[in-house]
Amino acid sequence: RVKVREYLDSALALNEDFTMAQLLLARLARHEGDNDTALELYDRVLESNPRSAEARDAVREILDEPDTGVASRAKDKLGGLFGRKNDS
């Protein structure tokens, strides 16, 4: 995973809008339980490509997880993308 992350970080250093690298890093972060980083990366993907089904689906899944604090903060930031607002 370290090598993969290094390659993806290098790709982003060359092109910060490389959405595939952002998506792969987001998947890796989520797999490692780092939903904050995953949401930041998915947000970057959605900024450059609002129609990214993978990013939108992943954000929805994270937002629908039991509230761990991450979901609450993310709902405030990203909920508008899905017509939701944080009511808590």
Side-chain angles (χ1 to χ4, degrees), residues 9-46:
D9 286 339
S10 295
L12 286 174
L14 294 171
N15 179 0
E16 66 183 31
D17 294 325
F18 186 25
T19 57
M20 183 52 69
Q22 292 168 341
L23 283 170
L24 292 171
L25 282 169
R27 284 185 207 163
L28 184 59
R30 188 142 187 240
H31 178 74
E32 294 173 342
D34 187 356
N35 283 341
D36 281 324
T37 298
L39 283 168
E40 288 175 23
L41 289 160
Y42 287 130
D43 185 41
R44 287 174 55 189
V45 170
L46 290 168

Side-chain angles (χ1 to χ4, degrees), residues 27-87:
R27 284 185 207 163
L28 184 59
R30 188 142 187 240
H31 178 74
E32 294 173 342
D34 187 356
N35 283 341
D36 281 324
T37 298
L39 283 168
E40 288 175 23
L41 289 160
Y42 287 130
D43 185 41
R44 287 174 55 189
V45 170
L46 290 168
E47 284 177 8
S48 61
N49 181 8
R51 298 174 70 120
S52 171
E54 179 179 347
R56 291 177 69 87
D57 290 347
V59 169
R60 276 192 187 106
E61 288 175 12
I62 293 169
L63 294 179
D64 288 341
E65 289 177 359
D67 192 10
T68 60
V70 172
S72 181
R73 290 188 306 274
K75 285 176 186 174
D76 288 335
K77 182 175 181 183
L78 301 172
L81 292 171
F82 308 101
R84 300 180 187 174
K85 292 191 180 202
N86 186 9
D87 297 327

